[in-house]
Amino acid sequence: MSRLPAPENPGVVEGDEDPSKSSSLEIQQPELQKRKGITFVSSISKDEPEVTRRELWAYYLYYNGDNGVGPNGYSLTLFQLWATAAGYDRAQGPGSSCTASSDCVLPWGNGVKAVASVVLVANGVSFAVMTLIFTTIGSAADYGSFGRWLLLVITCICWGAQFASVSLTSPSRWGAAMALYMIGFISYGATLVFYAAVFPRLARNTHHSRALRASYEAGEIDHEVYETEESLEKNRISNISTAHSNIGYIATLCLNLSLLLPLVNNPKVNNYVIVLTNGYWVLTGIWWFIFQQPRPGPPLPKGEHYLTVGWKQIWAALKQYKKLPYTFTYIFAFFLLADGLNTTGTLVLICQNDKFSFSFLQNTYLGLAQAITSTASTFGFWYIQKYWKISTKKMFVVTNVVTILIPLWGMIGIWTNTIGYHNVWEFWFYNVIFGIFQAPYYAFSQTMMAELTPPGFDNMFFGLFGLSNRASSMIGPNVIQAIINNSGNNWMGFPFLFALCTAASLVIWFGVDIHKGRRDAVAWAKDIRNSQGEQ
């Protein structure tokens, strides 16, 4: 997201009134401006406070605790553990026990459904709910201090669901385990999106970003240098925050060993571990809500409602496709790529849980392998990019190659047990490779979106990006659960995921031009300003 100097905030407000008759609401900073009755919210304001060291560290620490170990890992394992214990072997009928190699099913409606399919259904429904959240109230976070309070409320909901997991102590509670997993997973996904939405605002208000902008406006540096250095500054914050998430992942897993090792024979140790994991997030995450400086958006326009303004903004943004082809091509392709990668991760975890008999201890060791390599690779990729001045897209393409290879490896497991996520060493290999290449993937994907976002419209476009990222996995889980339920073979889901990841990656590689997309974004933002000036 390269930024040209802008004297005022671009934007549009609902209505076609004469600008000379604008209310005081329409001329406040940041401004709301009018164009063709479409509601846009601008977020450029020279009144925003400079980011302090304490605030930036609080931002990093929130992500340090919001690392997904609990809601995205342990909770899923506990849910699958009790669902499997409550199920039976389809071939042997009710009353039988499930084994690692059996087709384990649960009563579902008027029939039965494979446990793996039940897990994927939970994921698919969760992503659908995320979609509803992001489209309905996501854009409302642009107004006033609503976004600040929204992140706090959603974070507290996730904390509550994680603490409530202490009650999941028997197979009969697999339904409650499913509900708490979904609540925790939905709220966790929402925290990632609304946390990431803060990133552009922070990045443009660091001391270095402000100094760069001042130098460019004073004519001391040319536009190309300004674009390159500003992009590197965004990558710096994105990579450091991603590294902190992985550092928190390591710290949490090491802390959990203090319970898993001495209490290995305690039947409630898994529950205690989830509570400890969540407590770590509370300890590290609370500081963001204390030290975050106020950067409120404009008041909600008259006649608008928090539950409807989001849908209007999304529709308005989608109508701009022809003027921002590369931005929307990236959002669409990333929707499919994130769907494929997220579902692949869930499917591999299902296979991993079966292989290690749902062991929290083994999953902790594997998680440590992934977290340590993730942290090292995030700093390593950032150093390589900074030293050789490599573009964000080229770095992202490297991670995409491995994204494709992960489901391809699983697909091979359909025809042989030699490789394809059938052996213990493969899961160690998967977690190491995932850590090396997929941690930078998340950092570079966010920066790619920032590069293609029109200056002053970051909240609206990051909302769409959040929708394509966290809420994208509605296709994959639903297709895969049907395949697995009909075939009784978890590995049959990998071909579809391989095709999905490959197609999406090819579109990004050959269909997204970052340089042209950045210029289109700047031109589009300028057009909005000029149109406003002519009214």
Side-chain angles (χ1 to χ4, degrees):
M1 180 182 60
S2 48
R3 187 178 305 288
L4 291 173
E8 299 294 346
N9 299 328
V12 184
V13 74
E14 193 78 53
D16 293 311
E17 298 85 5
D18 187 328
S20 64
K21 299 179 181 179
S22 299
S23 67
S24 59
L25 170 67
E26 294 171 309
I27 59 175
Q28 293 172 356
Q29 283 284 359
E31 287 186 9
L32 293 175
Q33 301 176 343
K34 299 186 293 244
R35 188 188 186 210
K36 298 180 181 179
I38 301 172
T39 302
F40 285 124
V41 178
S42 166
S43 54
I44 294 179
S45 174
K46 295 183 179 179
D47 296 330
E48 292 179 352
E50 183 174 313
V51 176
T52 65
R53 184 179 182 86
R54 184 172 61 179
E55 182 183 23
L56 192 58
W57 270 99
Y59 183 75
Y60 293 151
L61 283 174
Y62 180 91
Y63 206 18
N64 186 290
D66 192 12
N67 50 57
V69 171
N72 199 36
Y74 286 147
S75 291
L76 176 61
T77 300
L78 189 63
F79 163 36
Q80 190 181 350
L81 166 66
W82 292 134
T84 302
Y88 59 88
D89 190 323
R90 191 196 300 260
Q92 298 183 28
S96 60
S97 298
C98 293
T99 64
S101 59
S102 65
D103 182 11
C104 190
V105 296
L106 280 165
W108 189 267
N110 295 325
V112 296
K113 187 176 284 290
V115 169
S117 294
V118 173
V119 173
L120 289 166
V121 166
N123 266 43
V125 173
S126 295
F127 283 117
V129 175
M130 286 186 213
T131 300
L132 185 63
I133 291 173
F134 300 151
T135 52
T136 303
I137 63 175
S139 294
D142 287 331
Y143 298 98
S145 299
F146 184 74
R148 183 174 187 167
W149 293 107
L150 181 62
L151 180 59
L152 175 61
V153 169
I154 290 176
T155 300
C156 289
I157 291 174
C158 191
W159 288 346
Q162 290 292 281
F163 281 133
S165 297
V166 73
S167 65
L168 305 174
T169 55
S170 66
S172 63
R173 297 182 180 177
W174 75 267
M178 179 178 181
L180 286 176
Y181 163 69
M182 292 175 64
I183 293 171
F185 186 58
I186 291 167
S187 52
Y188 162 70
T191 63
L192 294 182
V193 170
F194 294 121
Y195 167 87
V198 180
F199 160 65
R201 189 168 294 184
L202 284 180
R204 70 166 174 268
N205 283 299
T206 64
H207 178 76
H208 183 61
S209 290
R210 289 188 171 203
L212 276 174
R213 192 155 52 246
S215 296
Y216 175 67
E217 291 174 349
E220 297 173 1
I221 58 175
D222 61 29
H223 183 251
E224 184 177 350
V225 172
Y226 172 69
E227 275 193 346
T228 300
E229 291 299 323
E230 191 194 39
S231 176
L232 288 173
E233 175 68 359
K234 288 194 286 284
N235 270 298
R236 181 183 72 87
I237 295 177
S238 181
N239 278 281
I240 291 176
S241 64
T242 301
H244 266 282
S245 177
N246 291 310
I247 291 170
Y249 203 91
I250 295 172
T252 302
L253 293 174
C254 289
L255 187 63
N256 290 339
L257 290 176
S258 67
L259 288 179
L260 288 168
L261 292 175
L263 301 179
V264 64
N265 295 319
N266 190 312
K268 295 183 180 180
V269 65
N270 294 343
N271 308 82
Y272 299 153
V273 166
I274 292 179
V275 171
L276 181 62
T277 299
N278 198 49
Y280 178 86
W281 182 12
V282 174
L283 183 64
T284 58
I286 194 67
W287 304 108
W288 171 244
F289 302 108
I290 295 174
F291 294 126
Q292 178 185 10
Q293 295 191 83
R295 296 183 182 88
L300 191 70
K302 292 181 180 180
E304 294 291 354
H305 193 277
Y306 283 109
L307 297 179
T308 58
V309 68
W311 289 98
K312 291 182 179 180
Q313 284 202 339
I314 290 173
W315 175 244
L318 292 176
K319 290 195 293 186
Q320 304 301 313
Y321 169 75
K322 291 183 178 180
K323 295 182 178 180
L324 299 169
Y326 297 111
T327 299
F328 281 98
T329 297
Y330 176 69
I331 290 174
F332 173 74
F334 192 78
F335 178 94
L336 299 178
L337 181 63
D339 190 357
L341 181 60
N342 291 341
T343 309
T344 298
T346 301
L347 187 54
V348 173
L349 183 57
I350 289 172
C351 298
Q352 179 177 300
N353 285 334
D354 284 336
K355 186 66 179 179
F356 292 100
S357 301
F358 314 101
S359 170
F360 270 43
L361 183 59
Q362 289 296 326
N363 279 342
T364 297
Y365 289 143
L366 291 166
L368 278 170
Q370 181 182 135
I372 292 171
T373 52
S374 293
T375 305
S377 69
T378 300
F379 285 121
F381 270 73
W382 161 237
Y383 176 80
I384 292 170
Q385 182 188 28
K386 182 179 180 182
Y387 187 83
W388 278 285
K389 305 289 184 181
I390 302 174
S391 70
T392 301
K393 182 180 177 181
K394 289 179 180 177
M395 301 296 290
F396 188 53
V397 167
V398 172
T399 68
N400 283 168
V401 173
V402 179
T403 302
I404 294 172
L405 294 178
I406 291 174
L408 175 62
W409 189 273
M411 186 170 72
I412 297 173
I414 296 174
W415 302 289
T416 177
N417 290 330
T418 304
I419 59 172
Y421 306 123
H422 291 290
N423 307 288
V424 170
W425 70 266
E426 290 181 280
F427 292 104
W428 283 99
F429 181 70
Y430 160 77
N431 279 278
V432 169
I433 293 298
F434 191 95
I436 292 174
F437 291 97
Q438 297 310 293
Y441 154 90
Y442 290 110
F444 292 129
S445 67
Q446 180 172 277
T447 307
M448 283 270 288
M449 187 65 240
E451 299 281 9
L452 294 167
T453 296
F457 296 89
D458 19 53
N459 283 295
M460 178 172 67
F461 282 89
F462 259 80
L464 290 174
F465 178 66
L467 184 66
S468 68
N469 185 8
R470 295 306 307 174
S472 64
S473 297
M474 295 180 292
I475 301 173
N478 289 302
V479 172
I480 299 307
Q481 69 86 16
I483 293 173
I484 292 174
N485 197 56
N486 291 330
S487 66
N489 185 342
N490 291 348
W491 283 259
M492 293 301 295
F494 285 113
F496 174 80
L497 297 173
F498 169 69
L500 193 62
C501 290
T502 301
S505 295
L506 290 174
V507 171
I508 293 175
W509 297 352
F510 301 107
V512 177
D513 188 315
I514 294 295
H515 297 292
K516 291 182 179 178
R518 185 189 295 120
R519 295 189 185 100
D520 288 344
V522 171
W524 183 82
K526 276 185 163 183
D527 180 57
I528 295 288
R529 298 187 189 100
N530 294 336
S531 297
Q532 172 62 21
E534 294 171 358
Q535 291 181 1

PDB file of all heavy atoms in Angstrom, residues 11-23 26 32-38 528 531-532 535:
ATOM      1  N   GLY A  11     -13.138   9.699   0.662  1.00  0.00           N
ATOM      2  CA  GLY A  11     -14.227   8.903   1.215  1.00  0.00           C
ATOM      3  C   GLY A  11     -15.533   9.358   0.640  1.00  0.00           C
ATOM      4  O   GLY A  11     -15.633  10.344  -0.069  1.00  0.00           O
ATOM      5  N   VAL A  12     -16.592   8.667   0.957  1.00  0.00           N
ATOM      6  CA  VAL A  12     -17.904   8.999   0.452  1.00  0.00           C
ATOM      7  C   VAL A  12     -18.928   8.702   1.528  1.00  0.00           C
ATOM      8  O   VAL A  12     -18.778   7.774   2.286  1.00  0.00           O
ATOM      9  CB  VAL A  12     -18.227   8.174  -0.811  1.00  0.00           C
ATOM     10  CG1 VAL A  12     -19.545   8.598  -1.394  1.00  0.00           C
ATOM     11  CG2 VAL A  12     -17.128   8.358  -1.838  1.00  0.00           C
ATOM     12  N   VAL A  13     -19.957   9.494   1.577  1.00  0.00           N
ATOM     13  CA  VAL A  13     -21.026   9.270   2.559  1.00  0.00           C
ATOM     14  C   VAL A  13     -22.347   9.110   1.841  1.00  0.00           C
ATOM     15  O   VAL A  13     -22.530   9.605   0.741  1.00  0.00           O
ATOM     16  CB  VAL A  13     -21.096  10.453   3.566  1.00  0.00           C
ATOM     17  CG1 VAL A  13     -21.707  11.675   2.934  1.00  0.00           C
ATOM     18  CG2 VAL A  13     -21.902  10.063   4.797  1.00  0.00           C
ATOM     19  N   GLU A  14     -23.253   8.406   2.457  1.00  0.00           N
ATOM     20  CA  GLU A  14     -24.555   8.155   1.854  1.00  0.00           C
ATOM     21  C   GLU A  14     -25.287   9.459   1.618  1.00  0.00           C
ATOM     22  O   GLU A  14     -25.333  10.334   2.485  1.00  0.00           O
ATOM     23  CB  GLU A  14     -25.368   7.271   2.797  1.00  0.00           C
ATOM     24  CG  GLU A  14     -26.592   6.681   2.176  1.00  0.00           C
ATOM     25  CD  GLU A  14     -26.227   5.516   1.301  1.00  0.00           C
ATOM     26  OE1 GLU A  14     -25.556   4.609   1.750  1.00  0.00           O
ATOM     27  OE2 GLU A  14     -26.649   5.532   0.132  1.00  0.00           O
ATOM     28  N   GLY A  15     -25.884   9.622   0.434  1.00  0.00           N
ATOM     29  CA  GLY A  15     -26.693  10.788   0.176  1.00  0.00           C
ATOM     30  C   GLY A  15     -26.162  11.607  -0.982  1.00  0.00           C
ATOM     31  O   GLY A  15     -25.037  11.478  -1.402  1.00  0.00           O
ATOM     32  N   ASP A  16     -26.986  12.541  -1.481  1.00  0.00           N
ATOM     33  CA  ASP A  16     -26.599  13.365  -2.610  1.00  0.00           C
ATOM     34  C   ASP A  16     -26.788  14.849  -2.301  1.00  0.00           C
ATOM     35  O   ASP A  16     -27.064  15.653  -3.174  1.00  0.00           O
ATOM     36  CB  ASP A  16     -27.438  12.999  -3.850  1.00  0.00           C
ATOM     37  CG  ASP A  16     -27.122  11.606  -4.329  1.00  0.00           C
ATOM     38  OD1 ASP A  16     -25.938  11.274  -4.479  1.00  0.00           O
ATOM     39  OD2 ASP A  16     -28.084  10.846  -4.557  1.00  0.00           O
ATOM     40  N   GLU A  17     -26.618  15.223  -1.032  1.00  0.00           N
ATOM     41  CA  GLU A  17     -26.833  16.611  -0.674  1.00  0.00           C
ATOM     42  C   GLU A  17     -25.776  17.514  -1.296  1.00  0.00           C
ATOM     43  O   GLU A  17     -24.672  17.099  -1.606  1.00  0.00           O
ATOM     44  CB  GLU A  17     -26.802  16.781   0.850  1.00  0.00           C
ATOM     45  CG  GLU A  17     -27.906  16.007   1.568  1.00  0.00           C
ATOM     46  CD  GLU A  17     -27.499  14.577   1.824  1.00  0.00           C
ATOM     47  OE1 GLU A  17     -26.356  14.233   1.531  1.00  0.00           O
ATOM     48  OE2 GLU A  17     -28.339  13.812   2.301  1.00  0.00           O
ATOM     49  N   ASP A  18     -26.099  18.780  -1.405  1.00  0.00           N
ATOM     50  CA  ASP A  18     -25.152  19.781  -1.877  1.00  0.00           C
ATOM     51  C   ASP A  18     -24.023  19.886  -0.862  1.00  0.00           C
ATOM     52  O   ASP A  18     -24.254  20.051   0.327  1.00  0.00           O
ATOM     53  CB  ASP A  18     -25.874  21.126  -2.007  1.00  0.00           C
ATOM     54  CG  ASP A  18     -24.992  22.169  -2.661  1.00  0.00           C
ATOM     55  OD1 ASP A  18     -23.765  22.126  -2.484  1.00  0.00           O
ATOM     56  OD2 ASP A  18     -25.555  23.038  -3.326  1.00  0.00           O
ATOM     57  N   PRO A  19     -22.743  19.832  -1.301  1.00  0.00           N
ATOM     58  CA  PRO A  19     -21.635  19.925  -0.372  1.00  0.00           C
ATOM     59  C   PRO A  19     -21.639  21.206   0.448  1.00  0.00           C
ATOM     60  O   PRO A  19     -21.156  21.240   1.561  1.00  0.00           O
ATOM     61  CB  PRO A  19     -20.393  19.868  -1.272  1.00  0.00           C
ATOM     62  CG  PRO A  19     -20.855  19.198  -2.518  1.00  0.00           C
ATOM     63  CD  PRO A  19     -22.287  19.590  -2.687  1.00  0.00           C
ATOM     64  N   SER A  20     -22.181  22.269  -0.126  1.00  0.00           N
ATOM     65  CA  SER A  20     -22.215  23.524   0.600  1.00  0.00           C
ATOM     66  C   SER A  20     -23.129  23.470   1.803  1.00  0.00           C
ATOM     67  O   SER A  20     -23.074  24.298   2.698  1.00  0.00           O
ATOM     68  CB  SER A  20     -22.683  24.651  -0.340  1.00  0.00           C
ATOM     69  OG  SER A  20     -24.020  24.400  -0.770  1.00  0.00           O
ATOM     70  N   LYS A  21     -24.011  22.448   1.832  1.00  0.00           N
ATOM     71  CA  LYS A  21     -24.949  22.294   2.925  1.00  0.00           C
ATOM     72  C   LYS A  21     -24.552  21.148   3.833  1.00  0.00           C
ATOM     73  O   LYS A  21     -25.354  20.599   4.556  1.00  0.00           O
ATOM     74  CB  LYS A  21     -26.360  22.055   2.376  1.00  0.00           C
ATOM     75  CG  LYS A  21     -26.871  23.204   1.515  1.00  0.00           C
ATOM     76  CD  LYS A  21     -28.255  22.892   0.976  1.00  0.00           C
ATOM     77  CE  LYS A  21     -28.768  24.017   0.088  1.00  0.00           C
ATOM     78  NZ  LYS A  21     -30.100  23.729  -0.457  1.00  0.00           N
ATOM     79  N   SER A  22     -23.278  20.759   3.774  1.00  0.00           N
ATOM     80  CA  SER A  22     -22.815  19.636   4.570  1.00  0.00           C
ATOM     81  C   SER A  22     -22.971  19.940   6.043  1.00  0.00           C
ATOM     82  O   SER A  22     -22.793  21.062   6.497  1.00  0.00           O
ATOM     83  CB  SER A  22     -21.338  19.334   4.288  1.00  0.00           C
ATOM     84  OG  SER A  22     -21.157  18.986   2.944  1.00  0.00           O
ATOM     85  N   SER A  23     -23.306  18.900   6.788  1.00  0.00           N
ATOM     86  CA  SER A  23     -23.383  19.027   8.240  1.00  0.00           C
ATOM     87  C   SER A  23     -21.989  19.001   8.815  1.00  0.00           C
ATOM     88  O   SER A  23     -21.024  18.683   8.155  1.00  0.00           O
ATOM     89  CB  SER A  23     -24.192  17.866   8.825  1.00  0.00           C
ATOM     90  OG  SER A  23     -23.488  16.667   8.647  1.00  0.00           O
ATOM     91  N   GLU A  26     -19.845  15.904   8.348  1.00  0.00           N
ATOM     92  CA  GLU A  26     -19.176  15.598   7.091  1.00  0.00           C
ATOM     93  C   GLU A  26     -17.837  16.311   6.937  1.00  0.00           C
ATOM     94  O   GLU A  26     -17.077  15.996   6.043  1.00  0.00           O
ATOM     95  CB  GLU A  26     -20.080  15.966   5.916  1.00  0.00           C
ATOM     96  CG  GLU A  26     -21.331  15.114   5.859  1.00  0.00           C
ATOM     97  CD  GLU A  26     -22.294  15.640   4.833  1.00  0.00           C
ATOM     98  OE1 GLU A  26     -22.603  16.823   4.854  1.00  0.00           O
ATOM     99  OE2 GLU A  26     -22.733  14.845   3.984  1.00  0.00           O
ATOM    100  N   LEU A  32     -15.748  12.354   5.984  1.00  0.00           N
ATOM    101  CA  LEU A  32     -16.597  11.486   5.165  1.00  0.00           C
ATOM    102  C   LEU A  32     -16.973  12.323   3.955  1.00  0.00           C
ATOM    103  O   LEU A  32     -17.424  13.450   4.100  1.00  0.00           O
ATOM    104  CB  LEU A  32     -17.860  11.091   5.916  1.00  0.00           C
ATOM    105  CG  LEU A  32     -17.676  10.190   7.135  1.00  0.00           C
ATOM    106  CD1 LEU A  32     -19.016  10.006   7.812  1.00  0.00           C
ATOM    107  CD2 LEU A  32     -17.116   8.863   6.723  1.00  0.00           C
ATOM    108  N   GLN A  33     -16.778  11.783   2.765  1.00  0.00           N
ATOM    109  CA  GLN A  33     -17.067  12.542   1.562  1.00  0.00           C
ATOM    110  C   GLN A  33     -18.103  11.806   0.722  1.00  0.00           C
ATOM    111  O   GLN A  33     -18.324  10.620   0.903  1.00  0.00           O
ATOM    112  CB  GLN A  33     -15.770  12.779   0.778  1.00  0.00           C
ATOM    113  CG  GLN A  33     -14.739  13.550   1.615  1.00  0.00           C
ATOM    114  CD  GLN A  33     -13.430  13.697   0.882  1.00  0.00           C
ATOM    115  OE1 GLN A  33     -13.161  12.995  -0.083  1.00  0.00           O
ATOM    116  NE2 GLN A  33     -12.605  14.618   1.333  1.00  0.00           N
ATOM    117  N   LYS A  34     -18.689  12.521  -0.259  1.00  0.00           N
ATOM    118  CA  LYS A  34     -19.827  11.983  -0.986  1.00  0.00           C
ATOM    119  C   LYS A  34     -19.485  11.691  -2.433  1.00  0.00           C
ATOM    120  O   LYS A  34     -18.825  12.456  -3.097  1.00  0.00           O
ATOM    121  CB  LYS A  34     -20.985  12.973  -0.955  1.00  0.00           C
ATOM    122  CG  LYS A  34     -21.482  13.263   0.461  1.00  0.00           C
ATOM    123  CD  LYS A  34     -22.695  14.112   0.426  1.00  0.00           C
ATOM    124  CE  LYS A  34     -22.324  15.448  -0.094  1.00  0.00           C
ATOM    125  NZ  LYS A  34     -22.434  16.586   0.699  1.00  0.00           N
ATOM    126  N   ARG A  35     -19.986  10.531  -2.902  1.00  0.00           N
ATOM    127  CA  ARG A  35     -19.861  10.216  -4.319  1.00  0.00           C
ATOM    128  C   ARG A  35     -20.873   9.150  -4.687  1.00  0.00           C
ATOM    129  O   ARG A  35     -20.778   8.024  -4.248  1.00  0.00           O
ATOM    130  CB  ARG A  35     -18.452   9.732  -4.639  1.00  0.00           C
ATOM    131  CG  ARG A  35     -18.235   9.571  -6.136  1.00  0.00           C
ATOM    132  CD  ARG A  35     -16.906   8.902  -6.389  1.00  0.00           C
ATOM    133  NE  ARG A  35     -16.617   8.876  -7.803  1.00  0.00           N
ATOM    134  CZ  ARG A  35     -15.901   7.934  -8.393  1.00  0.00           C
ATOM    135  NH1 ARG A  35     -15.428   6.936  -7.706  1.00  0.00           N
ATOM    136  NH2 ARG A  35     -15.665   7.980  -9.684  1.00  0.00           N
ATOM    137  N   LYS A  36     -21.844   9.516  -5.510  1.00  0.00           N
ATOM    138  CA  LYS A  36     -22.815   8.581  -6.072  1.00  0.00           C
ATOM    139  C   LYS A  36     -23.526   7.773  -4.994  1.00  0.00           C
ATOM    140  O   LYS A  36     -23.879   6.622  -5.193  1.00  0.00           O
ATOM    141  CB  LYS A  36     -22.123   7.637  -7.060  1.00  0.00           C
ATOM    142  CG  LYS A  36     -21.512   8.367  -8.249  1.00  0.00           C
ATOM    143  CD  LYS A  36     -20.841   7.407  -9.192  1.00  0.00           C
ATOM    144  CE  LYS A  36     -20.211   8.144 -10.353  1.00  0.00           C
ATOM    145  NZ  LYS A  36     -19.518   7.220 -11.275  1.00  0.00           N
ATOM    146  N   GLY A  37     -23.746   8.371  -3.828  1.00  0.00           N
ATOM    147  CA  GLY A  37     -24.533   7.709  -2.810  1.00  0.00           C
ATOM    148  C   GLY A  37     -23.896   6.488  -2.199  1.00  0.00           C
ATOM    149  O   GLY A  37     -24.560   5.678  -1.587  1.00  0.00           O
ATOM    150  N   ILE A  38     -22.571   6.311  -2.342  1.00  0.00           N
ATOM    151  CA  ILE A  38     -21.902   5.134  -1.810  1.00  0.00           C
ATOM    152  C   ILE A  38     -21.179   5.515  -0.531  1.00  0.00           C
ATOM    153  O   ILE A  38     -20.561   6.570  -0.447  1.00  0.00           O
ATOM    154  CB  ILE A  38     -20.881   4.575  -2.826  1.00  0.00           C
ATOM    155  CG1 ILE A  38     -21.612   4.205  -4.121  1.00  0.00           C
ATOM    156  CG2 ILE A  38     -20.166   3.366  -2.260  1.00  0.00           C
ATOM    157  CD1 ILE A  38     -20.670   3.821  -5.235  1.00  0.00           C
ATOM    158  N   ILE A 528     -11.266   9.597  -6.541  1.00  0.00           N
ATOM    159  CA  ILE A 528     -12.276   9.871  -5.517  1.00  0.00           C
ATOM    160  C   ILE A 528     -12.112  11.290  -4.991  1.00  0.00           C
ATOM    161  O   ILE A 528     -13.079  12.039  -4.848  1.00  0.00           O
ATOM    162  CB  ILE A 528     -12.147   8.866  -4.348  1.00  0.00           C
ATOM    163  CG1 ILE A 528     -12.467   7.442  -4.812  1.00  0.00           C
ATOM    164  CG2 ILE A 528     -13.052   9.262  -3.190  1.00  0.00           C
ATOM    165  CD1 ILE A 528     -13.912   7.188  -5.095  1.00  0.00           C
ATOM    166  N   SER A 531     -13.139  13.865  -7.704  1.00  0.00           N
ATOM    167  CA  SER A 531     -14.600  13.899  -7.870  1.00  0.00           C
ATOM    168  C   SER A 531     -15.241  14.694  -6.746  1.00  0.00           C
ATOM    169  O   SER A 531     -16.185  15.439  -6.959  1.00  0.00           O
ATOM    170  CB  SER A 531     -15.153  12.472  -7.895  1.00  0.00           C
ATOM    171  OG  SER A 531     -14.644  11.766  -9.005  1.00  0.00           O
ATOM    172  N   GLN A 532     -14.694  14.534  -5.557  1.00  0.00           N
ATOM    173  CA  GLN A 532     -15.217  15.286  -4.423  1.00  0.00           C
ATOM    174  C   GLN A 532     -14.952  16.780  -4.590  1.00  0.00           C
ATOM    175  O   GLN A 532     -15.785  17.615  -4.296  1.00  0.00           O
ATOM    176  CB  GLN A 532     -14.586  14.788  -3.118  1.00  0.00           C
ATOM    177  CG  GLN A 532     -14.924  15.631  -1.892  1.00  0.00           C
ATOM    178  CD  GLN A 532     -16.396  15.642  -1.580  1.00  0.00           C
ATOM    179  OE1 GLN A 532     -17.118  14.747  -2.004  1.00  0.00           O
ATOM    180  NE2 GLN A 532     -16.839  16.663  -0.868  1.00  0.00           N
ATOM    181  N   GLN A 535     -17.415  18.612  -6.787  1.00  0.00           N
ATOM    182  CA  GLN A 535     -18.823  18.711  -6.376  1.00  0.00           C
ATOM    183  C   GLN A 535     -19.100  20.042  -5.695  1.00  0.00           C
ATOM    184  O   GLN A 535     -18.222  20.674  -5.183  1.00  0.00           O
ATOM    185  CB  GLN A 535     -19.150  17.561  -5.427  1.00  0.00           C
ATOM    186  CG  GLN A 535     -19.159  16.221  -6.129  1.00  0.00           C
ATOM    187  CD  GLN A 535     -19.507  15.090  -5.172  1.00  0.00           C
ATOM    188  OE1 GLN A 535     -19.758  15.288  -3.999  1.00  0.00           O
ATOM    189  NE2 GLN A 535     -19.525  13.889  -5.694  1.00  0.00           N
TER     190      GLN A 535
END
